[in-house]
Amino acid sequence: MRQSKPSDKYKHREREYGYAYEDEYGESKQSIQSNQIISSNPNNPSKLYKQRRNNAEHKNPSNSFRIGWVVILLIYLYLLTKLILFKGGAVDVGLVWDRLTALLHQPDLIHTRTVNLTPFQEIKRDWHSLSLHRPGTAIHLAGNIVAFIPFGILVAGMVRVSVFTGLNVLFLSFLLSLGYEATQLLTGIGIFDVDDLMLNTLGGMIGYLVYTVLLLSYRLFTGGKARVAAKRYGKERHV
């Protein structure tokens, strides 16, 4: 007479090998030996999947790519700080600290700073000077835009591409420019200019657009090559 419940021996095998044994006679069961053959088979899908996943994790260059991207961003910010705050001279953190300390001891110094809070005032003045063939104004206008184009490219490359990437670039470009302008206001090293703030933010957005166009072009190019390769492979199979 057949037993209605699995014996203790097969319960032990069930816990060890993950197979449900109906009874000690082995009806409708998969043997342990066949399980070992399947697991050792190099064509086993689960085993191949694990191997490919492990290889992809070891060969995935995303981590090193991001580290390189961050290093480039830090170098860029150093050069940008050198250009905006120190006008191309040596970066002197002690000078900034001394100016901030002096402002804390004499808050009235803030009234001696030069400030422009009228939008487009300096832009109109520079544009008028440009019409008088003064190249220095062109450098000032274009420089405020060009200086932030790399920032837009770098931020777009570091942030996952989505519908909000442009908003992230816009916000971070504005925030970075505001930081430089506020530092110039507090230290008196430069001039707080709302027009510079707008031009810098515009430069960051131009960088985002440049990155987007390059990325779309790359995807279209690589996608076209993949389609051509697939067509050639299909033709070869039918021959």
Side-chain angles (χ1 to χ4, degrees):
M1 184 175 179
R2 299 180 60 181
Q3 296 180 359
S4 59
K5 296 183 180 180
S7 63
D8 294 338
K9 177 176 65 176
Y10 290 105
K11 284 183 180 180
H12 174 70
R13 289 185 178 180
E14 178 181 349
R15 290 194 299 270
E16 182 176 358
Y17 298 102
Y19 290 98
Y21 288 81
E22 292 180 359
D23 52 40
E24 63 183 3
Y25 294 97
E27 294 181 1
S28 301
K29 309 179 205 50
Q30 186 174 10
S31 66
I32 299 173
Q33 183 178 5
S34 62
N35 178 31
Q36 292 175 349
I37 294 174
I38 292 174
S39 61
S40 61
N41 185 6
N43 295 324
N44 185 10
S46 61
K47 188 174 182 180
L48 290 175
Y49 170 75
K50 291 179 180 179
Q51 290 177 352
R52 290 175 181 175
R53 184 181 63 182
N54 293 333
N55 292 335
E57 289 176 355
H58 288 295
K59 295 180 180 180
N60 188 10
S62 60
N63 292 332
S64 58
F65 178 79
R66 289 177 181 175
I67 293 174
W69 210 253
V70 171
V71 171
I72 295 174
L73 178 62
L74 293 176
I75 295 173
Y76 163 76
L77 291 176
Y78 171 80
L79 295 176
L80 188 65
T81 303
K82 181 183 178 73
L83 176 65
I84 293 179
L85 293 183
F86 301 99
K87 314 308 177 186
V91 176
D92 190 354
V93 180
L95 175 62
V96 176
W97 178 255
D98 291 340
R99 294 292 186 92
L100 291 175
T101 305
L103 182 64
L104 290 175
H105 289 90
Q106 299 179 350
D108 293 338
L109 290 174
I110 195 69
H111 300 293
T112 63
R113 312 300 194 217
T114 305
V115 179
N116 173 36
L117 299 178
T118 305
F120 301 103
Q121 175 176 306
E122 293 298 323
I123 294 176
K124 290 179 180 178
R125 183 178 301 174
D126 290 341
W127 189 261
H128 178 70
S129 299
L130 184 62
S131 63
L132 299 178
H133 305 288
R134 296 177 181 175
T137 56
I139 296 175
H140 180 262
L141 282 173
N144 282 307
I145 298 175
V146 173
F148 271 69
I149 290 178
F151 182 74
I153 296 174
L154 292 171
V155 171
M158 294 179 64
V159 178
R160 181 176 297 179
V161 178
S162 65
V163 294
F164 300 105
T165 304
L167 295 177
N168 291 329
V169 174
L170 177 66
F171 174 74
L172 291 176
S173 299
F174 175 82
L175 194 64
L176 179 62
S177 179
L178 181 62
Y180 283 126
E181 295 299 320
T183 302
Q184 292 182 107
L185 173 64
L186 296 176
T187 60
I189 294 176
I191 299 173
F192 183 94
D193 192 350
V194 68
D195 289 345
D196 290 347
L197 190 61
M198 293 189 298
L199 293 174
N200 295 156
T201 306
L202 176 62
M205 292 305 297
I206 292 175
Y208 163 71
L209 294 176
V210 170
Y211 177 84
T212 303
V213 171
L214 292 176
L215 181 62
L216 291 176
S217 300
Y218 172 76
R219 288 180 176 177
L220 290 174
F221 178 73
T222 54
K225 290 179 65 177
R227 286 192 293 269
V228 171
K231 289 180 180 179
R232 289 180 179 176
Y233 178 72
K235 291 179 180 178
E236 291 176 356
R237 291 189 61 183
H238 289 296
V239 173

